Amino acid sequence: MCGIVGYTGHQKAVDVLLDALSSLEYRGYDSSGISIFEGTKIDTIKSLGRLDQLRERIDSQKKVFSGTCGIGHTRWATHGEPSDVNAHPHTTKKLSLVHNGIIENYVQIRQKLQADGYKFVSRTDTETAAHLLDRLYTGDPMGAIRQLCSFLEGSYAFAVLFWDHPGEVYGVCKGCPLIAAKGKEENFLVSDIPAILPYTRDYVLLEEGDLVKITADSILIQDSEGKEKIPNVQQAQWNMEQAQKGGYPHFMLKEIYEQPKALRDTIHPRIVDGLPDFAIEDSIPDGFWRQFDRISIVACGTAWHAGMLGKGLIERLARIPVECEIASEFRYRSPLLDRRTLVILISQSGETADTLAALRLARESGSTTLAVVNVTGSTIAREADYVIHTFAGPEIAVASTKAFSVQLAVMYLIAIKLALAGGRCQPDEARSLIHNLLEAIEATLKVFDLDSAIQKYAQSYVELKDLFFLGRGLDYSLAMEGSLKLKEISYIHCEAYAAGELKHGTISLITPGTPVIALATQDALLSKTLSNVREVISRGAEILLLCKDTFTPESELAGKCILLPALDDLFMPFVGVIALQLLAYHTAVFRDCDVDKPRNLAKSVTVE
Ligand code: F6R
């Protein structure tokens, strides 16, 4: 995720900015840049790649930065591939600006600015904000920033230098953190605490909509109405490692908790007039969705589970036949592909070797390829005919959590889009599905209220060797994901079964005390799943049931249920998966496992 650093004081800004940015490297980034006041001029330098490449560029261009005020940024690409030109800061005649977050309505703003003669050099949403602020600025930085915010939709934190205000750094935030920190004759404006720890521990966390101006000896904060606020100075208690994890004990837990934001960032920009729209954000024309009579979804691991759920959704809503296959199988079985087949590749990293090979095979066979990818500029994103980027931000923990949820959310949009294009649903029905999707995204927040209850169940799993997951329909796909999450980080052997299939063999393994986690979140299948649950209970299984909070458990299930916020059946996977991720996480912690780096696993699997 991008990192922001602003500095004004008595030290050489270049040293402070590069040093502070390096303490944000753990967040993942693909380019970086700085802008520094040199006298009354602002000098900017940017580079693709690591901070070392920026340092090398500063040396090779023999740049001498002696100024003591500037801004810096590490960029994790979302809009526009990683490149020198897309890196921040973005500079205009009046200002230089860095940005974290996503501006959802940047396409519309960009089109208007272009019509008025503004020239864009990058593909970023950020450059839109820079030009719009440039247009609004007439000498009052705070006033112009406030006006800028009234035009922007989405989430953002900005740090800005205005050419005619040397020694001053301005900022604003909405939906993204921004922190002003107080040093001795120097002040800072950063996106994350680790950046300030070598210099100071006194900081002020800006609130939603706050504007800030820092000089070497003052911090001025105003609310969105322009009313001055008394800074609430706090003391950072974390060491560097704790700060990098945002106070969470592990990256995995942090990423589980980041899901509501990741979902909003991914979905909101793609809804126009209450309907899914990939033309604006992803340049996929509306006619695209009418061309296919078959779909193949190809992915690995967790991404494959998102694909399995996607298959269920597309078939149900759009009535188009969908295959969903593991990439390593797909690539070696001479799959039947033609130009009427859409091949959807799902990948967090965009570098998974088998998924990439499947993409190449699909292209050679004349099929159209659409990649759903989290890492912008990755090989799969570059080689696919079309790309839908998920905006989960970098996933650091090896076990995929937030990437799964955003992949899943994109599958809903695709399913609804295909249903509309094929005349399987009317715009009003589609709008109501989108409404449910947005409601589901907000409902994910409620699952965190269950965290301590889930922790108790996890504690009872500490000594386990084997465990079964059961589910039907969408719950079966979700059971597979719950099982993978638990086995990969806690090293407990788990199996996921279609609940109705158990009696065809596997039920022989159910003996007194065998733990079984049953997913029964689908009202339409509830009675069937409960029959299977009774079958295992009567053989002595220790059951844990995941169901809607509208369900009244019978006596033998009392105290053995995780009651999830009730949504329409189709949307229950959003809340179900978070409960399963938390269960896996806490179980692994109780078993003293290396949660963020489980044995034998790599984050990106670039070999067959
Ligand atoms: C499990 C996990 C893996 C990945 C799989 C695909 O938690 O992370 O199963 O989902 O290796 O990786 P990507 O999505 O990068 O293609």
Side-chain angles (χ1 to χ4, degrees), residues 299-304 346-352 355 380 395 398-401 407 481 484-485 488 602-605:
C300 301
T302 286
W304 177 62
I346 308 179
S347 176
Q348 186 287 128
S349 62
E351 300 295 347
T352 302
T355 311
I380 292 176
E395 222 180 29
V398 164
S400 188
T401 53
Q407 288 160 353
E481 175 55 12
L484 175 62
K485 214 83 310 169
E488 74 177 313
K603 183 67 190 159
S604 183
V605 186

Side-chain angles (χ1 to χ4, degrees), residues 458 461-465 486 489-493 585-594:
Y461 288 163
V462 175
E463 301 296 336
L464 286 193
K465 291 213 163 33
L486 188 58
I489 60 168
S490 76
Y491 315 142
I492 295 172
H493 170 239
Y585 169 78
H586 290 302
T587 307
V589 171
F590 283 126
R591 287 167 65 89
D592 223 3
C593 297
D594 189 352

Side-chain angles (χ1 to χ4, degrees), residues 121-165:
V121 293
S122 80
R123 293 191 48 221
T124 61
D125 51 341
T126 306
E127 194 186 359
T128 309
H131 283 309
L132 182 54
L133 185 58
D134 180 280
R135 166 183 239 171
L136 298 169
Y137 182 62
T138 52
D140 167 17
M142 294 293 239
I145 294 175
R146 191 167 302 112
Q147 262 186 292
L148 171 73
C149 296
S150 69
F151 287 100
L152 302 183
E153 289 167 19
S155 58
Y156 46 79
F158 292 110
V160 193
L161 304 179
F162 290 88
W163 287 76
D164 55 356
H165 285 260

Side-chain angles (χ1 to χ4, degrees), residues 32 57 83 100 105 131 185 245 294-295 308 332-333 351 357 384 393 405 447 452 464 492 500 534 557 569:
S32 62
R57 185 160 290 185
S83 68
N100 281 4
N105 58 338
H131 283 309
E185 293 164 17
K245 288 176 183 154
R294 263 183 66 224
I295 293 174
M308 290 295 289
Y332 292 118
R333 72 163 176 90
E351 300 295 347
S405 286
V447 186
S452 46
L464 286 193
I492 295 172
R534 282 185 207 105
L557 290 171
D569 279 5

